[in-house]
Amino acid sequence: MSFETIIAFAIACFALMAVPGPGVLATVGRGLAHGLGRTLIFILGIVAGDLIYLFLTIFGLAALASVYGEVFVVIRWVGAAYLVYLGIKAWRAPAVPLDSTSVAPANPVRDFMGGLSMTLGNPKVILIYTAFLPTFIDLTALSHSDIAIAAAVVSGVLFFIMAGYAWLADRSRQIFRSERAVRIMNRSAGTVLVGAGVVIAARQ
């Protein structure tokens, strides 16, 4: 790929990925509930899911979405249920001011798998890549370096966008210093997470 193509591809990725959707909603919800550090692991799961769909598209395996549609349905429901579970948990969390809150032990594997399952549970992502990639890349004439560049652009842009949303959500946590404010934060985060789960479950 030429330098101009790479820049155009990166800009297009940014425009598509920055639009609020289930991934953004889930990232913001987790940023409010758990802070930036743990949310970054969740974001890595989202990036991994996008890369899987990217490679499926590049290597001509988009037909998997139609051949094994039932698998994608199951994954989607699992991801949606997990987000709803996190939202309910946030709603029921005790309203303890953040200054005195002890951070619960992180589970990197669970956080990563949450982001991965959420992305894999949205098979429309592969349709976006199928329609989007040929505009910038000749899929029949890709070199190994082209594939590596495309993967780097997708993962870099997506991680930057999601980390930005998570950082903003994390910064907003600093204003919550009373029980009432923390309760509002918990229920806001819970509502966002449940909403993201419902959006994913409702998608056909």
Side-chain angles (χ1 to χ4, degrees):
M1 287 189 289
S2 67
F3 179 75
E4 292 78 10
T5 300
I6 295 173
I7 296 300
F9 181 53
I11 293 174
C13 283
F14 184 90
L16 285 172
M17 295 171 179
V19 176
V24 170
L25 292 176
T27 298
V28 170
R30 289 184 68 88
L32 285 170
H34 301 297
L36 179 61
R38 286 187 60 177
T39 305
L40 290 179
I41 305 298
F42 181 80
I43 291 171
L44 289 177
I46 293 177
V47 171
D50 264 62
L51 287 178
I52 288 173
Y53 277 134
L54 173 68
F55 291 137
L56 286 175
T57 303
I58 287 177
F59 293 110
L61 298 180
L64 283 176
S66 58
V67 176
Y68 298 107
E70 296 82 1
V71 175
F72 287 102
V73 170
V74 172
I75 294 175
R76 184 177 79 238
W77 279 99
V78 170
Y82 180 66
L83 289 174
V84 171
Y85 162 76
L86 291 176
I88 294 174
K89 188 176 180 181
W91 255 85
R92 299 178 64 183
V96 181
L98 293 179
D99 282 341
S100 59
T101 300
S102 58
V103 179
N107 188 325
V109 174
R110 185 174 60 189
D111 291 339
F112 179 87
M113 293 305 297
L116 177 63
S117 65
M118 188 203 66
T119 302
L120 293 182
N122 184 15
K124 286 191 175 181
V125 174
I126 200 171
L127 301 180
I128 293 175
Y129 279 121
T130 302
F132 166 64
L133 279 181
T135 305
F136 299 91
I137 303 172
D138 182 359
L139 298 180
T140 63
L142 279 177
S143 65
H144 293 301
S145 61
D146 289 333
I147 295 174
I149 290 172
V153 170
V154 167
S155 57
V157 172
L158 181 58
F159 184 85
F160 174 80
I161 290 172
M162 293 301 179
Y165 277 116
W167 180 83
L168 290 174
D170 181 61
R171 292 301 92 191
S172 68
R173 298 171 83 236
Q174 304 307 314
I175 66 175
F176 297 102
R177 303 296 184 184
S178 67
E179 288 189 9
R180 179 174 181 275
V182 172
R183 185 177 298 109
I184 292 174
M185 180 192 72
N186 288 343
R187 293 183 177 180
S188 297
T191 300
V192 170
L193 287 168
V194 171
V198 171
V199 169
I200 290 176
R203 290 192 168 190
Q204 302 298 322

